[in-house]
Amino acid sequence: MVKVGIIGATGYAGSELVKIIHAHPKAQLKVLTTKSYAGKPFWEVYPYLYKYIDLTCEKLDLPALVEQVDVVFTALPHGHAMPVGAEVIRQGKKLIDLGADFRFKDYNQYEKWYQVEHTARELLEQTVYGLPELYREKIKRASIIGNPGCYPTSAILGLAPLVAERLLDPDTLIIDSKSGVSGAGRSPSVGTLYCEVNENIRAYNIGLHRHTPEIEQELSAVFGQAIKLSFTPHLTPMNRGILSTMYGKLNREMDTGALRELYDTFYETEPFVRVLPPGMLPQTKAVTGSNCCDVAVTADPRTGRVVVTSAIDNLIKGASGQAVQNMNIIYGFDEAAGIDSPGMYP
Amino acid sequence: MVKVGIIGATGYAGSELVKIIHAHPKAQLKVLTTKSYAGKPFWEVYPYLYKYIDLTCEKLDLPALVEQVDVVFTALPHGHAMPVGAEVIRQGKKLIDLGADFRFKDYNQYEKWYQVEHTARELLEQTVYGLPELYREKIKRASIIGNPGCYPTSAILGLAPLVAERLLDPDTLIIDSKSGVSGAGRSPSVGTLYCEVNENIRAYNIGLHRHTPEIEQELSAVFGQAIKLSFTPHLTPMNRGILSTMYGKLNREMDTGALRELYDTFYETEPFVRVLPPGMLPQTKAVTGSNCCDVAVTADPRTGRVVVTSAIDNLIKGASGQAVQNMNIIYGFDEAAGIDSPGMYP
Amino acid sequence: MVKVGIIGATGYAGSELVKIIHAHPKAQLKVLTTKSYAGKPFWEVYPYLYKYIDLTCEKLDLPALVEQVDVVFTALPHGHAMPVGAEVIRQGKKLIDLGADFRFKDYNQYEKWYQVEHTARELLEQTVYGLPELYREKIKRASIIGNPGCYPTSAILGLAPLVAERLLDPDTLIIDSKSGVSGAGRSPSVGTLYCEVNENIRAYNIGLHRHTPEIEQELSAVFGQAIKLSFTPHLTPMNRGILSTMYGKLNREMDTGALRELYDTFYETEPFVRVLPPGMLPQTKAVTGSNCCDVAVTADPRTGRVVVTSAIDNLIKGASGQAVQNMNIIYGFDEAAGIDSPGMYP
Amino acid sequence: MVKVGIIGATGYAGSELVKIIHAHPKAQLKVLTTKSYAGKPFWEVYPYLYKYIDLTCEKLDLPALVEQVDVVFTALPHGHAMPVGAEVIRQGKKLIDLGADFRFKDYNQYEKWYQVEHTARELLEQTVYGLPELYREKIKRASIIGNPGCYPTSAILGLAPLVAERLLDPDTLIIDSKSGVSGAGRSPSVGTLYCEVNENIRAYNIGLHRHTPEIEQELSAVFGQAIKLSFTPHLTPMNRGILSTMYGKLNREMDTGALRELYDTFYETEPFVRVLPPGMLPQTKAVTGSNCCDVAVTADPRTGRVVVTSAIDNLIKGASGQAVQNMNIIYGFDEAAGIDSPGMYP
């Protein structure tokens, strides 16, 4: 059994991780730490886990925690996982960070968009961007995983086949994403109160969202050349889910059938990407509670564009499920261990 | 592996059953039948199961179906499971009916409230009301299980300890239940359209709901004497969940602590009833996706009343999860096999 | 034009009042004060009012404010309206308080349930409980109005006809109320975040809610004798609305038709109570955005009980709409002035 | 008082129209017709209007109806308003059609996208596309108004200033729209059931939605040259509202401030378009219940694109409110008569 510690266990992503690891056949939850609830049983913070999980939230003692476990998951605001990375490397353990600290190959990008100094630059060479569909082999050998952001997961999986085949004019990419509210976390604020979000849709951070450079970094790597794109996130009245609608100009004529075939081939052996058959389009409810990313691609011959839509559960494939998928890859487990549920409907 | 057939697989309760049985470690899904979707792959009807479940919906051929399986589940409108019962008995198999046809000990009650003739009266003696917390021993030996209604499950589990100990004046019982919309099924109607239900709460069938005699039958059995009570169902804007708030006059002075102790003892060994500790009250979200029934009991010394609240997921403990719990009991499996998830939050 | 000042204008009830007064044909908004947003244009706090309302939020200067206006509305947490009452009386103006400070005839009740000292006891004799259906004549002459709580409005209007006619056994009254989230206000807290409330129903403050003594005070006054009752509030996933379901034992045999006739007569001349015709039951959506209270009464001959349901918009008839109705009565305006909209559907 | 008849009064758009006209200071509701509810009081179909509206639904007798009124509103599926147009012209009255029959200047476009024959081609010359912001002067003299679709209203108002000033590369236009469920009407279908829509977002009709040619027609007219664009509609879990997010390449460098100024000027005198000030972005809740269209424009210098978002209430500015705005223009009333409410929040 792999021994697991979770730092930042009481946010929504952290608690999802606690649940998944708890039920994982090959992993064992050893330590949970939180800033706000130290000393409380975890089920007091998340009553749905009463009688399922007995662990008590602890205050973080970093060296002691790393010593007790094989792998550390961090689900923290950006900037807080960098010291954890250093300690994990010192003790020869593994880190899977659900935040942004280890996602960027170029610390300048991180510093520019996040407006903090990167204090663990020397670790970036040993880190891998934890998107299994692109980096499975590297993940197997990595010590630090920068687990992808929720929006980037949906966008990169949606566009990678087209970008890899260089079928798109790279200047024409637009990503319009719609997210549920759990992505905003559990800290109280007026903007995420029920009455403010319910019956409401709005865009936010237009042109400025920090997931933009992350998407660009990965699609550029796939493309082999720098790509600049537009990304607009929206807050929508759901607990979970991201739907991304993506647009680009095709640089040759292709119909929907040919495009779907391309996607089928690209994701043929992937356990968690479902290229939908004709007549079906992604919807967030079809992936709620599952680690799947659903994708459909449509050619629009009128405009010469392709429209791709993808759907994920932002807390699972967009955060904790993908983190566990990465752990499974690192330890050579069945990649679906602990994350094989189809979710819940309705 | 127990071989399973499901008749009426494409309603919400039926599809939940399909999902649970598919993932069950000791059961195997052999046949799915539906009235409306015969010939279609099941995932076309429920796209979230794409790549998880390959079975195709079939038209019902009752004798052939019963022959292929060990246990039949029926998730049908009332009146349609009676012929299935006869066939199952003829072939020496097992039936677990999620409808109302086999819930009543006295067919007169059934005929009076459901306004149809009971055509399988002779089978009622071999049937057991499938509430494990009350009838576990009988369920082990039963051929036909009348799986409890969703509202009755929440109400009976909420009140049984008080009724069993005869702490209540039986004339004072009131059950006020709030249900999510999935209880109304997947057939289109104006009343269950998104725009009609969203941002809306209403009572319905006041004094007339068919779950009333079912609750009365079981609480009377526990009490050892006929009980008449008031039951009011409400439709609320949620997909899943029932919260029941129950009121009765105590016939002696007891404080909340003593009442909680009584509940703790009554449900001590139950795997799926969680008597909540002080400071916690049931909420539907804490049982969404799980087979648990959460219960809390509060004494109100001002009025001499006790107030009990209970929460279930109407599609799981209120329908398909409980049906599988009954199957587990019949076959001597771990009672939580296939239904051990804590669900999902948020 | 009556000149109006609103103290506490940026909560949900306060902002509803701002909107109503702004559109009122006989009233003019002079001053808005808030604790948190002084100096900001009101539309920055409530963007839906951009280009509709130009006023800027001010810091409270109580004597100056009272001097500028004819009537003051206070939408404040309990305890904060008492000094306003004193100043209003000193300057010979009117106060309509949407909080609890002026609702109780007996300050002991207030102090016991709210756990603060009542520092304006001498004003209680000049105050009137602002439920027009019971106290219209007194309201006309009052200087201070204690505007009813949201739950009490729905409960008292639902039960008053039965209590007035002494048709109920007063020991058997139970009120089970379901409220939307706006009743909890706009201050951020984990419990009212979208993700915590959405897809969730729960009871709270069982046996302890502060609206209990308010309901008892008024129904006891109608009955002419002290009534003790059970009241349970529930938080439900809606922005607006309260549905109350009320139970009591009839002390004589009456059918639904006779009861409805009684209600029709009782509320015959009321502009805002709609006794629903046969076949219709109250639903919160039917009163969203309106000042109406919908009521239906049902006899249940099986149990000898009566079940009443009532629905209001908690921010309108349950708060700001009723406050304006009281203002209209005081100044002899058409009672529906400014609050005559049927609301919005769906 | 202008006498009004409404054909198709019991859909969501029709009922909104009934409510608005009923409260309109210069119009009087004379006849309501519906296909399904003839003979029923209108409040039985929409209980929120009980005691507000007394009219009874009638079966359609077209010539008789047109004779009784000055202006007819049709809220019907496409194809059904064409005969009404002919009769209205014959009797010299006015028609405002909320459907698609009179929106196209070129009947070929209509026939191609709607797949039915246009049987009133000769009337198209006398019809005006009812977007007051573009065609106010023509509307004043029109006999038939083709009231704009909901998506087109949000898209055209969002893009018109940029297109008029020729600041965009016309080949780069993308419109990504998110709609509440009421746009799908009140006819029961699985796809609009509460449980299917709640907690779900999905795109539909990608590249094929019938509002595409309508948007293209109008933007091309503004541009003076044919524009082809991509339009993707999404179904989102809200009752009301459309948010459109629009993208295009700027053909010169402009910052957000300069763009906002352009919009301010373009809409300076418009009563119902609110160009939002810096720091505010459109959200559907801010226009729920109002006839406003909120717009914000953002330059993204990184990509050379402009991103515009606009929000409307699909049943008001996107349907019935705009229809009444057109009536007000035709009859020379205050353009905001009957539609001057800021709506409701939260």
Side-chain angles (χ1 to χ4, degrees):
Chain A
M1 299 290 269
V2 167
K3 285 171 285 179
V4 171
I6 299 174
I7 303 178
T10 51
Y12 288 136
S15 73
E16 191 74 17
L17 199 49
V18 168
K19 183 183 79 171
I20 297 173
I21 295 291
H22 171 75
H24 195 286
K26 307 259 175 122
Q28 191 187 4
L29 208 48
K30 298 297 282 188
V31 199
L32 303 180
T33 80
T34 86
K35 216 176 135 186
S36 322
Y37 299 99
K40 287 205 174 182
F42 191 73
W43 56 256
E44 256 191 64
V45 191
Y46 283 95
Y48 85 114
L49 294 172
Y50 182 55
K51 300 231 169 165
Y52 283 88
I53 290 184
D54 280 336
L55 285 167
T56 292
C57 299
E58 298 181 23
K59 242 185 88 177
L60 176 61
D61 173 344
L62 184 56
L65 180 148
V66 177
E67 214 182 315
Q68 290 175 70
V69 303
D70 300 308
V71 56
V72 176
F73 290 86
T74 36
L76 299 168
H78 73 268
H80 291 77
M82 291 182 286
V84 181
E87 183 65 27
V88 161
I89 293 298
R90 208 184 55 79
Q91 298 198 28
K93 307 294 177 73
K94 303 281 187 181
L95 170 65
I96 299 173
D97 175 32
L98 279 75
D101 292 358
F102 295 102
R103 288 180 192 156
F104 288 88
K105 293 184 175 72
D106 173 1
Y107 66 82
N108 289 303
Q109 283 291 315
Y110 176 86
E111 295 189 345
K112 181 178 147 199
W113 287 82
Y114 286 83
Q115 295 287 310
V116 293
E117 205 195 330
H118 202 297
T119 60
R121 297 172 186 179
E122 70 288 356
L123 302 177
L124 292 181
E125 274 182 33
Q126 331 176 31
T127 72
V128 175
Y129 188 75
L131 193 68
E133 290 78 7
L134 295 185
Y135 298 110
R136 187 171 283 108
E137 289 311 309
K138 288 189 179 169
I139 290 166
K140 288 181 186 171
R141 298 180 305 270
S143 291
I144 301 181
I145 300 289
N147 208 60
C150 49
Y151 288 121
T153 296
S154 75
I156 299 164
L157 292 177
L159 290 171
L162 288 168
V163 170
E165 295 298 318
R166 297 186 145 256
L167 295 170
L168 290 175
D169 174 350
D171 279 349
T172 63
L173 277 180
I174 286 170
I175 299 163
D176 189 286
S177 295
K178 298 89 180 164
S179 174
V181 187
S182 58
R186 210 191 197 194
S187 299
S189 72
V190 170
T192 51
L193 289 179
Y194 184 83
C195 289
E196 303 291 316
V197 175
N198 186 39
E199 295 290 290
N200 201 4
I201 293 191
R202 59 181 174 89
Y204 64 100
N205 287 3
I206 294 177
L208 302 171
H209 196 279
R210 289 159 169 176
H211 284 174
T212 312
E214 187 182 334
I215 303 170
E216 289 183 344
Q217 165 182 288
E218 293 306 320
L219 290 181
S220 298
V222 170
F223 192 61
Q225 196 179 322
I227 289 179
K228 258 189 199 157
L229 48 78
S230 290
F231 165 64
T232 311
H234 297 76
L235 190 67
T236 59
M238 315 188 290
N239 282 0
R240 289 174 175 237
I242 288 175
L243 185 83
S244 289
T245 311
M246 293 160 274
Y247 304 85
K249 277 269 185 195
L250 287 167
N251 54 23
R252 72 195 75 167
E253 267 187 42
M254 288 189 77
D255 65 13
T256 298
L259 290 169
R260 188 182 297 120
E261 216 169 291
L262 174 78
Y263 273 67
D264 277 335
T265 307
F266 194 91
Y267 289 123
E268 199 162 27
T269 59
E270 284 303 329
F272 292 117
V273 180
R274 302 191 293 193
V275 179
L276 299 186
M280 271 168 62
L281 286 175
Q283 49 181 327
T284 57
K285 202 195 229 359
V287 295
T288 300
S290 104
N291 197 50
C292 288
C293 175
D294 282 2
V295 183
V297 58
T298 309
D300 180 8
R302 278 183 70 250
T303 60
R305 287 206 182 85
V306 60
V307 184
V308 185
T309 55
S310 72
I312 59 169
D313 184 321
N314 59 306
L315 293 180
I316 306 187
K317 185 63 176 172
S320 306
Q322 184 145 269
V324 171
Q325 189 179 355
N326 282 318
M327 181 190 77
N328 290 343
I329 292 170
I330 289 173
Y331 290 99
F333 303 149
D334 175 359
E335 201 165 318
I339 45 176
D340 56 352
S341 165
M344 194 167 89
Y345 192 99
Chain B
M1 297 291 269
V2 168
K3 284 171 285 178
V4 171
I6 300 176
I7 303 179
T10 52
Y12 288 134
S15 72
E16 189 75 17
L17 200 48
V18 169
K19 184 184 79 170
I20 297 173
I21 295 292
H22 170 75
H24 195 284
K26 308 258 176 124
Q28 192 185 4
L29 208 49
K30 299 296 281 185
V31 199
L32 303 180
T33 81
T34 86
K35 216 176 135 188
S36 323
Y37 300 98
K40 288 208 174 182
F42 191 73
W43 57 257
E44 256 190 63
V45 192
Y46 283 94
Y48 85 113
L49 294 172
Y50 182 56
K51 301 233 168 164
Y52 283 88
I53 290 183
D54 281 336
L55 287 166
T56 292
C57 300
E58 299 181 24
K59 244 187 85 177
L60 176 60
D61 174 346
L62 185 55
L65 179 148
V66 176
E67 215 182 313
Q68 289 176 69
V69 303
D70 300 308
V71 56
V72 176
F73 291 85
T74 36
L76 299 168
H78 72 268
H80 291 77
M82 291 182 286
V84 181
E87 184 64 27
V88 161
I89 292 298
R90 209 185 53 78
Q91 297 198 30
K93 306 293 177 72
K94 303 281 187 180
L95 170 64
I96 299 173
D97 175 32
L98 279 74
D101 292 358
F102 294 103
R103 288 180 192 156
F104 288 88
K105 294 185 174 74
D106 174 1
Y107 67 82
N108 288 304
Q109 282 290 314
Y110 176 85
E111 296 188 344
K112 179 176 149 203
W113 287 80
Y114 286 82
Q115 295 286 312
V116 293
E117 205 194 331
H118 201 295
T119 61
R121 296 173 186 179
E122 69 289 355
L123 301 177
L124 292 180
E125 273 183 31
Q126 332 175 31
T127 72
V128 174
Y129 187 75
L131 194 67
E133 291 77 5
L134 295 184
Y135 298 111
R136 187 170 283 110
E137 290 311 308
K138 287 188 179 169
I139 290 166
K140 289 180 186 173
R141 299 180 304 269
S143 292
I144 299 180
I145 300 290
N147 207 59
C150 50
Y151 288 122
T153 296
S154 75
I156 299 164
L157 291 177
L159 290 170
L162 288 167
V163 169
E165 295 297 317
R166 301 189 142 254
L167 295 170
L168 290 175
D169 173 349
D171 279 350
T172 62
L173 276 181
I174 286 169
I175 299 164
D176 189 284
S177 294
K178 298 90 179 165
S179 174
V181 187
S182 59
R186 211 190 195 194
S187 300
S189 72
V190 170
T192 52
L193 288 178
Y194 183 84
C195 289
E196 303 291 318
V197 175
N198 186 37
E199 294 291 291
N200 202 4
I201 293 190
R202 59 180 174 88
Y204 63 100
N205 287 3
I206 294 177
L208 302 169
H209 195 280
R210 289 158 169 177
H211 283 173
T212 311
E214 188 183 332
I215 301 170
E216 288 182 344
Q217 166 182 286
E218 294 306 319
L219 289 181
S220 298
V222 169
F223 193 61
Q225 198 178 321
I227 290 180
K228 258 190 201 156
L229 51 78
S230 290
F231 165 63
T232 310
H234 297 76
L235 190 65
T236 60
M238 313 188 292
N239 282 0
R240 290 171 175 240
I242 288 176
L243 186 82
S244 290
T245 311
M246 295 160 273
Y247 303 85
K249 277 270 185 193
L250 287 167
N251 55 23
R252 75 195 72 166
E253 264 186 46
M254 286 188 79
D255 64 16
T256 297
L259 290 169
R260 187 182 300 122
E261 215 168 291
L262 174 77
Y263 273 66
D264 276 334
T265 306
F266 194 91
Y267 288 124
E268 197 162 29
T269 60
E270 284 304 331
F272 291 116
V273 180
R274 300 191 294 193
V275 179
L276 298 186
M280 273 169 62
L281 286 175
Q283 49 182 327
T284 57
K285 200 193 234 353
V287 295
T288 300
S290 105
N291 197 49
C292 288
C293 176
D294 283 0
V295 183
V297 56
T298 308
D300 180 8
R302 276 185 71 249
T303 59
R305 284 201 186 89
V306 60
V307 184
V308 185
T309 56
S310 71
I312 59 168
D313 183 322
N314 59 306
L315 293 179
I316 306 188
K317 185 63 177 172
S320 307
Q322 186 146 269
V324 171
Q325 188 180 355
N326 282 318
M327 181 189 79
N328 289 342
I329 292 169
I330 290 173
Y331 289 100
F333 303 150
D334 174 0
E335 200 164 319
I339 44 175
D340 56 353
S341 164
M344 194 167 89
Y345 192 98
Chain C
M1 299 288 270
V2 167
K3 284 171 283 176
V4 171
I6 300 176
I7 303 180
T10 53
Y12 288 135
S15 72
E16 190 75 17
L17 199 49
V18 169
K19 183 183 81 171
I20 298 173
I21 294 292
H22 171 76
H24 195 287
K26 308 257 177 125
Q28 189 187 5
L29 207 49
K30 298 296 279 187
V31 199
L32 303 180
T33 81
T34 86
K35 215 176 136 186
S36 320
Y37 300 98
K40 288 205 174 184
F42 192 73
W43 56 258
E44 255 190 64
V45 191
Y46 283 94
Y48 86 114
L49 294 172
Y50 182 54
K51 300 230 170 164
Y52 282 88
I53 289 183
D54 280 336
L55 286 166
T56 293
C57 301
E58 299 181 24
K59 245 185 85 178
L60 176 60
D61 174 344
L62 184 54
L65 181 147
V66 176
E67 215 182 313
Q68 290 176 70
V69 303
D70 300 308
V71 55
V72 177
F73 291 86
T74 38
L76 298 168
H78 71 267
H80 291 76
M82 292 181 288
V84 182
E87 183 65 27
V88 161
I89 293 298
R90 209 183 55 79
Q91 299 199 27
K93 307 295 177 74
K94 303 280 186 178
L95 170 65
I96 299 174
D97 175 32
L98 279 73
D101 292 359
F102 294 102
R103 290 180 191 154
F104 287 89
K105 294 184 173 75
D106 173 1
Y107 66 82
N108 288 304
Q109 283 291 314
Y110 176 84
E111 296 190 344
K112 180 176 151 201
W113 286 82
Y114 285 82
Q115 295 287 310
V116 292
E117 206 194 327
H118 202 297
T119 60
R121 297 174 186 176
E122 71 287 358
L123 302 178
L124 293 181
E125 272 182 34
Q126 334 177 29
T127 74
V128 174
Y129 188 75
L131 194 68
E133 291 78 6
L134 296 185
Y135 298 111
R136 186 170 283 109
E137 290 311 309
K138 287 187 180 171
I139 291 166
K140 289 180 186 171
R141 300 180 304 270
S143 294
I144 300 181
I145 299 288
N147 207 58
C150 50
Y151 288 123
T153 297
S154 75
I156 299 163
L157 292 177
L159 290 170
L162 288 167
V163 169
E165 295 298 316
R166 300 190 142 252
L167 294 170
L168 290 176
D169 173 348
D171 278 348
T172 64
L173 275 181
I174 286 169
I175 299 163
D176 188 285
S177 294
K178 298 90 179 164
S179 173
V181 187
S182 57
R186 211 190 194 193
S187 300
S189 71
V190 170
T192 51
L193 288 179
Y194 183 83
C195 289
E196 304 290 317
V197 174
N198 185 37
E199 294 290 289
N200 202 5
I201 294 191
R202 58 181 175 87
Y204 64 100
N205 286 4
I206 295 176
L208 302 170
H209 196 280
R210 288 160 169 173
H211 285 173
T212 311
E214 187 182 334
I215 302 170
E216 289 181 346
Q217 165 182 290
E218 293 307 318
L219 290 181
S220 297
V222 170
F223 193 61
Q225 197 178 325
I227 289 181
K228 257 188 201 158
L229 50 80
S230 290
F231 164 64
T232 311
H234 297 76
L235 190 67
T236 60
M238 313 188 291
N239 283 0
R240 289 172 177 240
I242 287 176
L243 186 82
S244 290
T245 312
M246 294 160 273
Y247 304 86
K249 278 272 186 194
L250 288 166
N251 55 22
R252 73 194 75 167
E253 265 187 46
M254 287 188 79
D255 64 16
T256 298
L259 290 168
R260 186 180 302 120
E261 214 168 293
L262 174 76
Y263 272 65
D264 276 335
T265 308
F266 195 91
Y267 288 123
E268 200 162 26
T269 59
E270 284 303 329
F272 291 117
V273 180
R274 301 191 292 193
V275 179
L276 299 186
M280 272 168 61
L281 286 175
Q283 48 182 329
T284 57
K285 203 194 231 356
V287 294
T288 300
S290 104
N291 197 49
C292 288
C293 176
D294 282 1
V295 183
V297 56
T298 309
D300 180 8
R302 276 185 71 250
T303 60
R305 285 202 185 87
V306 60
V307 183
V308 184
T309 55
S310 71
I312 59 168
D313 184 321
N314 59 304
L315 294 180
I316 306 186
K317 184 64 177 171
S320 307
Q322 184 145 268
V324 171
Q325 190 180 353
N326 283 317
M327 181 190 78
N328 290 342
I329 292 169
I330 289 172
Y331 290 98
F333 302 150
D334 174 0
E335 198 163 322
I339 44 175
D340 57 352
S341 164
M344 193 168 89
Y345 191 99
Chain D
M1 295 292 268
V2 167
K3 284 172 283 176
V4 171
I6 299 175
I7 303 179
T10 54
Y12 289 136
S15 72
E16 190 74 17
L17 200 48
V18 169
K19 183 184 80 172
I20 297 172
I21 295 293
H22 170 76
H24 195 286
K26 308 257 177 124
Q28 189 186 7
L29 207 49
K30 298 297 281 186
V31 197
L32 303 180
T33 81
T34 87
K35 216 176 136 188
S36 322
Y37 300 99
K40 287 204 175 186
F42 191 74
W43 55 258
E44 254 190 66
V45 191
Y46 284 94
Y48 85 114
L49 293 173
Y50 182 55
K51 301 230 169 167
Y52 282 88
I53 290 183
D54 280 336
L55 284 166
T56 292
C57 300
E58 298 181 24
K59 245 184 87 177
L60 177 60
D61 175 343
L62 185 55
L65 180 147
V66 176
E67 214 183 313
Q68 290 176 72
V69 303
D70 301 305
V71 55
V72 176
F73 291 85
T74 37
L76 298 167
H78 71 268
H80 291 77
M82 291 181 288
V84 181
E87 183 65 27
V88 161
I89 293 298
R90 209 183 55 79
Q91 298 198 29
K93 307 293 178 74
K94 303 280 187 179
L95 169 64
I96 298 174
D97 175 31
L98 280 73
D101 292 359
F102 295 102
R103 290 180 192 155
F104 288 89
K105 294 184 173 72
D106 173 1
Y107 66 82
N108 289 303
Q109 281 291 316
Y110 176 85
E111 295 189 345
K112 181 178 148 202
W113 286 82
Y114 286 83
Q115 295 286 310
V116 294
E117 205 194 329
H118 201 296
T119 60
R121 296 172 188 180
E122 70 288 357
L123 301 177
L124 292 181
E125 273 180 34
Q126 333 177 30
T127 72
V128 175
Y129 187 75
L131 194 67
E133 291 78 6
L134 295 185
Y135 298 111
R136 186 170 284 109
E137 289 311 309
K138 289 188 179 172
I139 290 166
K140 289 181 185 172
R141 299 179 304 269
S143 292
I144 301 182
I145 300 288
N147 206 58
C150 48
Y151 288 122
T153 296
S154 74
I156 299 163
L157 292 177
L159 290 169
L162 288 167
V163 169
E165 296 296 318
R166 299 187 144 254
L167 295 170
L168 291 174
D169 173 350
D171 279 350
T172 63
L173 276 181
I174 287 170
I175 299 164
D176 189 285
S177 295
K178 300 88 180 164
S179 174
V181 187
S182 58
R186 210 191 195 192
S187 300
S189 72
V190 170
T192 50
L193 289 179
Y194 184 83
C195 289
E196 304 291 317
V197 175
N198 186 36
E199 295 290 289
N200 203 5
I201 293 189
R202 59 181 175 86
Y204 64 99
N205 287 1
I206 294 176
L208 303 169
H209 195 279
R210 289 159 169 175
H211 284 172
T212 312
E214 186 182 334
I215 301 170
E216 288 182 345
Q217 165 182 287
E218 293 306 321
L219 290 181
S220 298
V222 170
F223 193 59
Q225 196 179 322
I227 289 180
K228 259 189 198 156
L229 50 80
S230 291
F231 165 63
T232 311
H234 297 77
L235 190 66
T236 59
M238 313 187 293
N239 282 1
R240 290 172 176 238
I242 287 177
L243 185 82
S244 290
T245 312
M246 294 160 274
Y247 303 86
K249 277 269 186 196
L250 286 168
N251 54 22
R252 73 193 73 166
E253 264 186 47
M254 287 190 79
D255 63 15
T256 298
L259 290 168
R260 186 180 302 121
E261 216 168 290
L262 175 76
Y263 273 66
D264 276 336
T265 307
F266 194 92
Y267 289 126
E268 199 162 24
T269 60
E270 284 302 331
F272 291 117
V273 181
R274 300 191 293 193
V275 179
L276 299 186
M280 272 170 62
L281 286 175
Q283 48 182 327
T284 57
K285 202 195 230 357
V287 294
T288 300
S290 104
N291 197 51
C292 287
C293 176
D294 282 2
V295 183
V297 58
T298 309
D300 181 9
R302 277 185 69 248
T303 60
R305 284 202 185 88
V306 60
V307 184
V308 184
T309 55
S310 71
I312 58 168
D313 184 320
N314 59 306
L315 294 179
I316 306 188
K317 184 63 178 170
S320 307
Q322 186 147 265
V324 172
Q325 188 179 356
N326 282 318
M327 181 189 79
N328 290 341
I329 292 169
I330 290 173
Y331 290 99
F333 303 150
D334 174 0
E335 200 165 319
I339 45 177
D340 56 354
S341 164
M344 192 168 89
Y345 192 98

